[in-house]
């Protein structure tokens, strides 16, 4: 079955065409076309995604992105079997652009439509293993699956005991982890999105001697809390961590000299140290809550999905600690190309829903669409 998938939930305009076969337990995919345009440069001056700009850009770019995906696949829309589109969660004005576009194509070419939950796309993208550059497969997955979903809008632990049936195990009580990365990035004067920038600085600390170099403050000054790490729930909180960075920056900027207080910007070395400690704090909390959830649920597979799963320190931490503490648990982390938003993951989820004949012409954008 050829699925044409459209993703416009945030600031990526993406279309993918996949040849899909098999069943839920053993599915194979060949990527025929995969076109993506990131709007990140356009949103950078605003320090975050600006919804009406995202909508305008999707409207302008979607026809070209479709043409590019079709050209890569060497087919026309006539030859696809179904059209999948993200219905939520995400920015509603942006979602509507993709949905209206998909509906028009479906009517024009008389194709069935499938509504996709973006987060289900992240889960399936993490389960999919790359065989060659353009082939993916989802096989040998032990149930139940625990999914740690970490993105700009979500931080949650969900359990899948049966395919595509989700139970919420834990979630953030305030900020999403990607949001915390982006806000801390802004406080450190880094460009949007902050996640990859913080990761870059933190890795420099791990691979250099900046921790021991003379930067004006001892490393012990740079200590951040691990919110809720010892609470006996699988819920998270990141707002306090973000505020702790703010207070830390304020305290570092005050230099008492001759009875006066002078304010300075953090040095590059201090920024690196803060990025490093912030990332360590995030990884520690994510791991502790996930370990608690693995013990509570007895899940046999752990999946990490969403944009923050691109973070190399989090990937490394989970690989090491799963091998150490849960050697029987299978760990699935997406290919780098499938971590942040893309349309391949929407095609995977579209196929799984098409296998259940969940076709509908009545798709509405739902910014808060939940998995469970
Ligand atoms: O899944 P995604 O592409 O979009 C949403 O659905 O939200 O996730 C975007 C988030 C942003 O907050 C971004 O800063 C974060 O993922 N992110 C990262 C990294 N790459 C992207 N966070 C930490 N480290 C990274 N390497
Ligand atoms: Zn996403």
């Amino acid at each position: 079955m050829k699925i044409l998938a459209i993703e416009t939930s945030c600031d990526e305009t993406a279309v993918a065409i996949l040849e899909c076969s098999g069943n839920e337990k053993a599915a194979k995919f060949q990527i025929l076309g995969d076109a993506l345009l990131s709007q990140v440069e356009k949103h950078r001056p605003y320090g975050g995604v600006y919804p009406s700009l995202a909508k305008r850009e999707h409207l302008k770019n979607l026809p070209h992105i479709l043409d590019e995906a079709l050209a890569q696949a060497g087919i026309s829309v006539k030859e696809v079997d179904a059209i999948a589109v993200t219905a939520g969660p995400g920015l509603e004005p942006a979602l509507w652009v993709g949905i209206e576009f998909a509906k028009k194509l479906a009517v024009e070419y008389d194709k069935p439509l499938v509504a996709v939950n973006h987060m289900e796309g992240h889960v399936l993208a993490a389960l999919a293993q790359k065989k060659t550059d353009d082939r993916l497969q989802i096989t040998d997955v032990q149930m139940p699956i625990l999914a740690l979903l970490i993105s700009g809008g979500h931080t949650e632990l969900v359990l899948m005991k049966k395919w595509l049936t989700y139970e919420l195990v834990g979630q953030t009580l305030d900020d999403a982890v990607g949001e915390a990365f982006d806000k801390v990035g802004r406080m450190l004067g880094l460009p949007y999105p902050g996640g990859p920038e913080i990761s870059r600085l933190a890795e420099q600390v791990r691979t250099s001697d900046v921790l021991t170099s003379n930067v004006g403050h001892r490393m012990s000054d740079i200590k951040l809390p691990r919110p809720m790490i010892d609470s006996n729930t699988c819920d998270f909180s990141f707002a306090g961590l973000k505020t702790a960075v703010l207070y830390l920056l304020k305290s570092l900027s005050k230099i008492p000299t001759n009875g006066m207080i002078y304010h300075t910007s953090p040095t590059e070395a201090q920024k690196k140290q803060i990025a490093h400690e912030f990332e360590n704090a995030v990884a520690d909390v994510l791991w502790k809550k996930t370990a608690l959830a693995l013990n509570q649920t007895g899940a046999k597979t752990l999946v990490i999905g969403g944009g923050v799963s691109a973070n190399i320190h989090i990937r490394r931490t989970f690989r090491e600690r799963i091998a150490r503490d849960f050697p029987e648990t299978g760990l699935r982390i997406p290919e780098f190309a499938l971590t942040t938003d893309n349309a391949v993951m929407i095609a995977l989820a579209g196929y799984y829903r098409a296998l259940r004949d969940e076709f509908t012409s009545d798709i509405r954008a739902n910014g808060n669409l939940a998995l469970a």
Side-chain angles (χ1 to χ4, degrees), residues 9 16 25 142 194 197 224 238 272 305 364:
S9 68
K25 290 182 185 153
Q142 300 283 316
E197 296 293 323
L224 292 168
F238 292 103
K272 287 181 190 174
R364 284 153 208 259

Side-chain angles (χ1 to χ4, degrees), residues 30-71:
Q30 185 172 5
I31 302 171
L32 305 176
D34 178 16
L36 183 146
L37 186 72
S38 170
Q39 303 170 5
V40 71
E41 298 297 336
K42 304 252 174 192
H43 295 280
R44 193 161 278 151
Y46 302 97
V49 180
Y50 195 63
S52 60
L53 175 62
K55 175 186 167 175
R56 203 162 60 233
E57 289 294 310
H58 287 312
L59 269 172
K60 185 174 81 189
N61 297 321
L62 203 39
H64 310 295
I65 295 295
L66 171 68
D67 288 347
E68 193 184 322
L70 289 168

Side-chain angles (χ1 to χ4, degrees), residues 169-170 173 228-236 289 292 296:
V169 176
L173 304 179
M228 290 180 69
I229 198 159
D230 291 320
S231 77
N232 202 26
T233 79
C234 296
D235 290 331
F236 307 86
K289 297 295 170 180
L292 184 63
Q296 281 180 3

Side-chain angles (χ1 to χ4, degrees), residues 7-12 39 43 48-58 86-99 118-119 152-154 192 341 364-369:
E7 156 66 30
T8 63
S9 68
C10 194
D11 59 346
E12 264 89 25
Q39 303 170 5
H43 295 280
V49 180
Y50 195 63
S52 60
L53 175 62
K55 175 186 167 175
R56 203 162 60 233
E57 289 294 310
H58 287 312
T86 308
L91 303 168
E92 286 192 5
L95 289 163
W96 273 118
V97 177
I99 293 171
H118 179 92
M119 301 314 289
H154 287 78
Y192 171 82
D341 293 348
R364 284 153 208 259
N366 179 351
N368 299 316
L369 189 63

Side-chain angles (χ1 to χ4, degrees), residues 46-266:
Y46 302 97
V49 180
Y50 195 63
S52 60
L53 175 62
K55 175 186 167 175
R56 203 162 60 233
E57 289 294 310
H58 287 312
L59 269 172
K60 185 174 81 189
N61 297 321
L62 203 39
H64 310 295
I65 295 295
L66 171 68
D67 288 347
E68 193 184 322
L70 289 168
Q72 285 176 20
I75 61 170
S76 88
V77 182
K78 265 190 231 148
E79 291 161 75
V80 309
D81 299 293
I83 298 171
V85 63
T86 308
L91 303 168
E92 286 192 5
L95 289 163
W96 273 118
V97 177
I99 293 171
E100 292 300 342
F101 190 81
K103 281 183 177 170
K104 272 199 197 115
L105 276 184
V107 170
E108 190 178 337
Y109 291 92
D110 192 22
K111 301 293 175 188
L113 268 179
V114 192
V116 169
N117 181 317
H118 179 92
M119 301 314 289
E120 185 162 88
H122 278 306
V123 173
L124 292 175
L127 285 173
Q129 291 170 316
K130 208 154 209 172
K131 289 298 151 191
T132 63
D133 256 7
D134 59 357
R135 278 175 203 275
L136 295 167
Q137 68 183 42
I138 298 179
T139 51
D140 305 319
V141 184
Q142 300 283 316
M143 293 282 182
I145 301 169
L146 179 71
L148 171 67
L149 297 174
I150 41 179
S151 70
H154 287 78
T155 299
E156 58 194 24
L157 282 159
V158 292
L159 186 68
M160 206 199 295
K161 288 185 190 151
K162 285 190 274 173
W163 280 101
L164 313 192
T165 306
Y166 304 91
E167 287 168 38
L168 188 64
V169 176
Q171 63 184 328
T172 182
L173 304 179
D174 40 58
D175 290 356
V177 65
E179 188 182 355
F181 266 101
D182 296 340
K183 285 179 178 167
V184 168
R186 210 174 306 154
M187 287 178 206
L188 295 177
L190 303 171
Y192 171 82
E197 296 293 323
I198 287 178
S199 170
R200 190 173 53 77
L201 295 188
E203 280 303 300
Q204 285 177 19
V205 173
R206 291 187 190 99
T207 54
S208 78
D209 58 357
V210 70
L211 287 186
T212 51
S213 66
N214 180 11
V215 293
H217 287 273
R218 292 185 315 277
M219 189 50 201
S220 55
D221 293 338
I222 311 286
K223 199 77 197 138
L224 292 168
R226 271 75 174 149
M228 290 180 69
I229 198 159
D230 291 320
S231 77
N232 202 26
T233 79
C234 296
D235 290 331
F236 307 86
S237 165
F238 292 103
L241 178 56
K242 176 192 69 187
T243 311
V245 173
L246 188 68
Y247 285 123
L248 176 64
L249 280 168
K250 278 193 180 155
S251 76
L252 289 176
S253 75
K254 286 184 193 155
I255 316 280
T257 315
N258 299 334
M260 304 274 283
I261 302 278
Y262 290 91
H263 290 268
T264 60
S265 305

